[in-house]
C-alpha cells in the first residue's frame, strides 16, 4: 500500500471502501427478504406432486433447510475470514486466480444477479396485472418499472435501500403468517373425493430441486460482509439466523397448505396461497394473496439489486476495463455506477422476457446452470483456502471439516447436473453469455499491458 492507493495486477486504482453501516437485523431482513420471494407461492404444489404423503412433503422442506444450513456453515467461515464486498468473487480470486473470478463476476453481472432481479420483477408484473392490466405487455411494463424504481432508490443511498428492504420484509413475513393463521383456522376440512386413488410416489430428487430453488439466495450474505457492523462476529448470526427464520416460515406455510387443501389439492393447485385463502374467506382473500405475492417479489428484487451491485463494484476495482464501476460513493455509501450498469442489463433482460412471453420461466432457465456451477466452485474454494492460507484468522471454522464442505459440494454438483438436464433454451443463452466474458478478459489483459508500456 502507498498512501491510499492499492496496486493490483491489472490496474492502479484509488481505494474507496464500503463502511459497516448494516446492523445484524438489517442484514437478516435483507437475506430473509431475498429468499422468501415468490417461490413459496408456487413450488409447494410441485413438491406435493412428487411426495407420497403430507409427512414426507413437510420432511422435504425440513431437509431443504438442513441442506441450506450446511452451505451457510461454509459461508460463515468464508465471510468471517474474508469480509469483502465482492463476496464469492473475492473467494474465487484468492483460491483460483483472476480468470475464474473474472468470469464469475461477469456471469453475476450479466446472468445470475440480473436474471434473478428480472425473474422477481416479472412475478410482480404477473400479479400486478391481475389487479390492473396495462395492455398486451402489461407484465413486462410492470417489470421494467420495478427495475427502474428500485435501482433509483438504491442509487439514492444505502439508508434508503435498507429501510425499504426492512419494511418490505416485515410486510411479507406478517402477510405470510396471516395466511398461515387464516388457512389453518378458517379453511374448511378437506374432503377426499376418491380415497381409493393411488397416492403419488415420492421422487425425492425432483422434489429437492424445487425446494432448494425456493431456499436459494441466502448466500447473498457474502456480498454485505464488509458492511455489517462487527462482521467477523455477526456474520455467523446473520447466516444461521436467516436460515432458521426461513425454514420456520416455509414449514408453517406448507403445513397451512396441506391442512387447508390436502396433498392432492395442493398438488393440483396453480396458486396454492390464493386457493387456500379463497377456501377460507372467499375472493377477498385471493385478492389479498395477489398483493402479498407482489410485495414479496418487490422485497426479493430490492435485496438482489442491493447485493448484486457489490460484485460489480469489486470487478471494477480489479479490472481496468470496468474501472468506472469500482467507485464507491462515500456520502451515499453505495456503488452508483455499478447499480446503473446492473439496471441497464436488467432492462435488456426484461425485453428478452417480453419477446419470449415467458418471463419467469425464461429467467429460471437462464440463470440456473451458471449459478450452480459457481456455487460449486465456492465450496471448493473453501477447501483450497483452508489448505493454502492456514494462518489467516478464522473467527468461525466449519465443524466436522472437511465432511461438511464436501457434502456442500456434492449438493451443488447434483443441482448443477439437474439444472443442465432440465433447462431449456434460456439455459443455453446463459452459458453463451458467460463465455462472452473470455474475450473481454483477454482484451483487458492486452489493454493493461499496452498501458504499462
Amino acid at each position: 500500500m502507498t498512501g491510499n492507493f492499492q496496486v493490483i495486477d491489472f490496474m492502479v486504482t484509488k481505494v474507496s471502501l464500503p463502511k459497516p453501516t448494516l446492523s445484524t437485523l438489517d442484514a437478516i431482513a435483507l437475506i430473509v427478504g431475498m429468499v422468501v420471494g415468490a417461490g413459496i407461492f408456487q413450488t409447494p404444489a410441485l413438491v406435493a406432486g412428487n411426495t407420497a404423503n403430507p409427512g414426507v412433503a413437510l420432511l422435504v422442506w425440513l431437509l431443504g433447510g438442513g441442506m441450506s444450513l450446511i452451505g451457510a456453515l461454509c459461508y460463515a467461515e468464508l465471510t468471517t475470514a474474508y469480509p469483502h464486498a465482492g463476496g464469492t468473487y473475492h473467494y474465487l480470486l484468492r483460491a483460483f486466480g483472476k480468470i475464474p473470478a473474472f468470469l464469475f463476476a461477469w456471469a453475476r453481472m450479466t446472468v445470475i444477479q440480473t436474471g434473478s432481479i428480472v425473474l422477481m420483477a416479472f412475478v410482480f408484473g404477473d400479479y400486478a396485472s391481475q389487479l390492473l392490466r396495462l395492455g398486451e405487455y402489461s407484465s413486462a411494463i410492470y417489470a421494467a418499472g420495478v427495475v427502474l424504481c428500485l435501482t433509483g432508490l438504491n442509487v439514492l443511498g444505502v439508508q434508503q435501500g435498507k429501510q425499504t428492504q426492512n419494511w418490505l420484509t416485515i410486510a411479507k413475513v406478517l402477510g405470510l403468517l396471516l395466511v398461515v393463521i387464516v388457512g389453518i383456522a378458517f379453511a374448511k376440512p378437506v374432503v377426499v373425493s376418491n380415497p381409493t386413488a393411488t397416492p403419488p410416489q415420492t421422487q425425492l430428487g425432483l422434489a429437492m430441486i424445487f425446494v432448494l430453488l425456493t431456499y436459494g439466495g441466502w448466500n447473498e450474505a457474502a456480498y454485505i460482509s464488509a458492511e455489517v457492523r462487527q462482521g467477523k462476529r455477526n456474520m455467523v448470526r446473520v447466516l444461521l439466523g436467516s436460515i432458521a427464520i426461513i425454514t420456520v416460515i416455509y414449514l408453517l406455510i406448507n403445513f397451512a397448505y396441506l391442512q387447508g387443501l390436502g396433498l392432492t389439492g395442493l398438488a393440483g393447485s396453480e396458486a396454492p396461497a390464493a386457493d387456500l385463502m379463497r377456501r377460507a374467506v372467499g375472493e377477498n382473500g385471493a385478492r389479498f394473496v395477489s398483493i402479498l405475492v407482489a410485495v414479496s417479489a418487490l422485497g426479493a428484487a430490492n435485496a438482489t439489486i442491493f447485493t448484486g451491485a457489490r460484485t460489480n463494484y469489486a470487478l471494477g476495482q480489479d479490472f481496468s476495463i470496468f474501472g468506472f464501476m469500482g467507485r464507491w460513493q462515500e456520502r451515499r455509501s453505495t456503488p452508483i455506477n455499478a447499480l446503473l450498469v446492473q439496471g441497464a442489463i436488467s432492462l435488456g433482460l426484461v425485453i428478452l422476457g417480453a419477446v419470449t412471453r415467458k418471463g419467469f420461466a425464461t429467467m429460471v432457465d437462464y440463470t440456473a446452470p451458471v449459478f450452480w456451477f459457481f456455487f460449486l466452485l465456492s465450496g471448493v474454494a473453501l477447501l483450497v483456502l483452508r489448505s493454502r492460507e492456514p494462518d489467516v484468522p478464522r473467527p468461525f471454522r466449519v465443524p466436522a471439516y472437511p465432511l461438511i464442505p464436501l457434502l456442500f459440494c456434492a449438493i451443488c454438483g447434483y443441482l448443477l447436473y439437474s439444472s443442465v438436464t432440465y433447462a431449456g433454451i434460456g439455459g443455453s443463452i446463459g452459458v453463451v453469455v458467460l463465455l462472452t466474458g473470455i474475450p473481454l478478459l483477454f482484451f483487458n489483459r492486452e489493454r493493461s499491458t499496452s498501458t504499462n508500456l
Side-chain angles (χ1 to χ4, degrees):
M1 296 288 291
T2 304
N4 63 340
F5 287 82
Q6 182 180 18
V7 180
I8 304 176
D9 286 351
F10 283 102
M11 63 182 293
V12 179
T13 183
K14 184 176 180 179
V15 175
S16 51
L17 299 175
K19 297 178 181 179
T21 56
L22 300 176
S23 69
T24 301
L25 289 179
D26 290 332
I28 289 176
L30 194 71
I31 302 307
V32 173
M34 182 178 303
V35 175
V36 185
I40 192 58
F41 299 101
Q42 296 175 334
T43 54
L46 301 173
V47 172
N50 288 282
T51 50
N53 59 66
V56 174
L58 289 174
L59 177 61
V60 168
W61 285 98
L62 183 61
L63 285 174
M67 290 182 179
S68 299
L69 178 62
I70 289 171
L73 289 171
C74 296
Y75 265 70
E77 176 169 328
L78 289 168
T79 56
T80 54
Y82 308 101
H84 193 278
T88 302
Y89 162 80
H90 183 64
Y91 316 146
L92 297 181
L93 181 65
R94 296 184 74 114
F96 305 117
K98 302 175 185 68
I99 294 177
F102 176 88
L103 290 177
F104 169 75
W106 170 252
R108 187 169 165 84
M109 182 172 67
T110 59
V111 179
I112 300 171
Q113 206 71 358
T114 45
S116 298
I117 291 167
V118 175
L119 187 151
M120 288 297 106
F122 268 110
V123 170
F124 176 87
D126 290 342
Y127 279 84
S129 295
Q130 294 184 15
L131 302 174
L132 178 62
R133 190 161 185 82
L134 301 178
E136 182 181 0
Y137 294 99
S138 179
S139 184
I141 293 171
Y142 276 115
V146 167
V147 171
L148 289 170
C149 291
L150 293 182
T151 298
L153 190 69
N154 280 275
V155 165
L156 291 177
V158 69
Q159 292 299 324
Q160 290 81 357
K162 76 173 186 179
Q163 287 171 9
T164 299
Q165 188 61 48
N166 289 348
W167 284 112
L168 286 173
T169 300
I170 290 170
K172 179 191 306 187
V173 172
L174 290 178
L176 281 168
L177 291 177
L178 181 61
V179 171
V180 170
I181 294 169
V182 172
I184 293 175
F186 299 106
K188 298 176 183 178
V190 176
V191 178
V192 180
S193 58
N194 185 8
T196 62
T198 303
Q201 298 297 311
T202 296
Q203 300 184 62
L204 185 61
L206 187 56
M208 288 308 307
I209 292 174
F210 298 126
V211 167
L212 290 176
L213 170 68
T214 315
Y215 272 98
W218 55 262
N219 57 297
E220 296 299 300
Y223 303 97
I224 58 172
S225 58
E227 297 174 71
V228 175
R229 297 175 194 142
Q230 298 181 324
K232 287 185 177 293
R233 181 186 67 185
N234 288 332
M235 280 308 301
V236 179
R237 299 176 181 175
V238 169
L239 281 160
L240 302 188
S242 299
I243 295 296
I245 292 171
I246 293 162
T247 302
V248 170
I249 290 173
Y250 284 177
L251 286 173
L252 285 174
I253 194 69
N254 275 278
F255 179 74
Y257 288 156
L258 291 166
Q259 285 288 103
L261 300 175
L263 184 69
T264 303
L266 176 57
S269 174
E270 295 182 358
D275 288 344
L276 176 65
M277 292 296 285
R278 184 179 291 109
R279 187 184 185 92
V281 294
E283 286 300 324
N284 287 334
R287 294 190 188 97
F288 168 78
V289 166
S290 294
I291 296 172
L292 177 60
V293 173
V295 170
S296 297
L298 278 181
N302 184 68
T304 309
I305 288 170
F306 186 99
T307 59
R310 271 61 184 169
T311 311
N312 297 351
Y313 158 79
L315 181 67
Q317 284 274 301
D318 290 355
F319 296 88
S320 61
I321 191 174
F322 295 116
F324 66 96
M325 292 194 301
R327 301 167 187 165
W328 193 272
Q329 222 288 341
E330 293 187 9
R331 183 171 62 85
R332 300 178 183 180
S333 193
T334 192
I336 291 178
N337 290 346
L339 280 164
L340 294 176
V341 170
Q342 177 178 260
I345 295 172
S346 297
L347 288 175
L349 292 179
V350 169
I351 295 173
L352 173 64
V355 170
T356 63
R357 297 181 181 272
K358 296 179 180 180
F360 181 86
T362 299
M363 290 303 106
V364 171
D365 291 343
Y366 181 69
T367 59
V370 177
F371 169 78
W372 286 110
F373 172 72
F374 283 109
F375 212 23
L376 171 60
L377 277 189
S378 70
V380 178
L382 172 61
L383 297 166
V384 171
L385 291 172
R386 177 75 82 93
S387 174
R388 183 182 297 168
E389 302 179 3
D391 297 329
V392 170
R394 287 174 167 77
F396 177 85
R397 288 176 173 265
V398 177
Y401 182 90
L403 178 61
I404 286 181
L406 289 173
L407 185 56
F408 173 60
C409 291
I411 293 170
C412 293
Y414 174 72
L415 269 295
L416 171 61
Y417 167 78
S418 300
S419 63
V420 170
T421 301
Y422 293 106
I425 186 65
S428 300
I429 296 174
V431 172
V432 170
V433 172
L434 165 65
L435 296 177
T436 60
I438 295 176
L440 283 176
L441 177 63
F442 285 106
F443 174 74
N444 180 88
R445 181 173 295 176
E446 292 292 330
R447 175 179 174 180
S448 300
T449 302
S450 61
T451 300
N452 291 333
L453 293 177

